[in-house]
Amino acid sequence: MTTFFAASSASAAGANYVALGDSYSAGVGAGSYLSDSGSCKRSTNAYAYLWKNAHAPSSFRFVACSGARTGDVLNNQISALSSSTTLVSITIGGNDAGFGDTMKTCVLSSDSDCLNAVNSGENYARNTLPGQLDRVYDAIHAKAPRAHVVVLGYPHLYKVGGSCIFGIGDTKRAAIDKAADTLDEVIAKRAADHGFAFGDVRGIFAGHEICGSSTAWLHSTTLPVDESYHPKAAGQSGGYLPVFSRS
């Protein structure tokens, strides 16, 4: 890569920025969805859109989409990149590893069922996901060889020993957070091996997890159900945006 600037640098105003990824990048859960984004549910409160508003880049393409997996990025999003792209952001991998189904199992079933589902997801993350991420990251570099690429991770969802009276217990909460650690470790390693920046959001979300405080940045179970376990607008602006901006 020949473009070395943090997303917050002075050269940001001249950036050609493309925001790829899944629901965490689209801003599902943050409200204020762009009408032309349909079921992708791209939000004007998403970190990418907030960064665009703050820095007025030369161009901005926002193609992140709810439910996206690595294959969806390759088939539907990579085409937004070009040789003139100078900045790329992405969250991807959680859906490949079965995050949604694991959460459903943990909320509705026993501790043992939850632990089994988490273990299955972790095994997938360690053994299958690296190759899928490599294909995505290789494609990003091939399409946008000059770009500074920021790969963002996923936060812990729960405060273990937190203040919630209702909901799942600490055994399940700890297992889900451990799965996030495994996922982030895999993503960080693959990003580093491709020369991409990794933005770890776990630290900045600490104290704002579900059951962590009255100012949780993450939804618990919600209606519509697809917004469950996703960052609220405050999680995008207070969590993802600062990490992206300094990565």
Side-chain angles (χ1 to χ4, degrees):
M1 292 180 298
T2 57
T3 301
F4 296 98
F5 64 87
S8 60
S9 74
S11 56
N16 295 308
Y17 173 30
V18 180
L20 308 172
D22 57 21
S23 53
Y24 272 61
S25 286
V28 173
S32 186
Y33 301 115
L34 294 162
S35 59
D36 63 356
S37 68
S39 61
C40 285
K41 298 185 79 167
R42 289 185 281 269
S43 170
T44 62
N45 293 319
Y47 70 85
Y49 206 90
L50 296 174
W51 190 93
K52 182 269 294 187
N53 287 345
H55 295 280
S58 295
S59 66
F60 175 63
R61 301 222 32 207
F62 189 17
V63 295
C65 189
S66 176
R69 301 185 180 201
T70 52
D72 298 308
V73 174
L74 292 170
N75 293 328
N76 305 319
Q77 298 183 21
I78 286 289
S79 59
L81 302 175
S82 72
S83 59
S84 64
T85 303
T86 59
L87 179 62
V88 178
S89 63
I90 185 169
T91 55
I92 203 68
N95 292 318
D96 294 80
F99 169 81
D101 288 340
T102 296
M103 289 306 303
K104 186 182 298 183
T105 298
C106 287
V107 169
L108 298 177
S109 301
S110 66
D111 282 4
S112 61
D113 287 343
C114 174
L115 295 179
N116 287 336
V118 166
N119 287 336
S120 176
E122 288 187 287
N123 287 335
Y124 188 99
R126 291 191 187 100
N127 299 313
T128 305
L129 186 60
Q132 295 172 314
L133 294 175
D134 283 342
R135 285 189 284 277
V136 171
Y137 298 163
D138 285 343
I140 291 172
H141 183 67
K143 289 281 288 183
R146 297 172 50 240
H148 176 71
V149 181
V150 180
V151 178
L152 292 141
Y154 300 94
H156 288 161
L157 293 182
Y158 287 99
K159 172 70 172 178
V160 178
S163 58
C164 291
I165 298 173
F166 303 106
I168 67 174
D170 277 348
T171 297
K172 292 178 177 179
R173 293 177 193 170
I176 291 166
D177 286 351
K178 178 172 169 285
D181 289 334
T182 299
L183 189 58
D184 283 341
E185 287 162 11
V186 169
I187 293 170
K189 177 65 165 60
R190 302 319 307 142
D193 284 355
H194 285 78
F196 297 164
F198 177 71
D200 191 340
V201 299
R202 287 172 292 181
I204 201 167
F205 269 83
H208 298 285
E209 309 98 324
I210 301 167
C211 304
S213 73
S214 60
T215 57
W217 285 352
L218 293 148
H219 291 286
S220 185
T221 306
T222 63
L223 289 174
V225 70
D226 66 334
E227 298 190 0
S228 302
Y229 315 112
H230 284 80
K232 302 175 182 179
Q236 291 284 341
S237 63
Y240 272 91
L241 179 61
V243 172
F244 172 57
S245 296
R246 63 175 180 250
S247 296

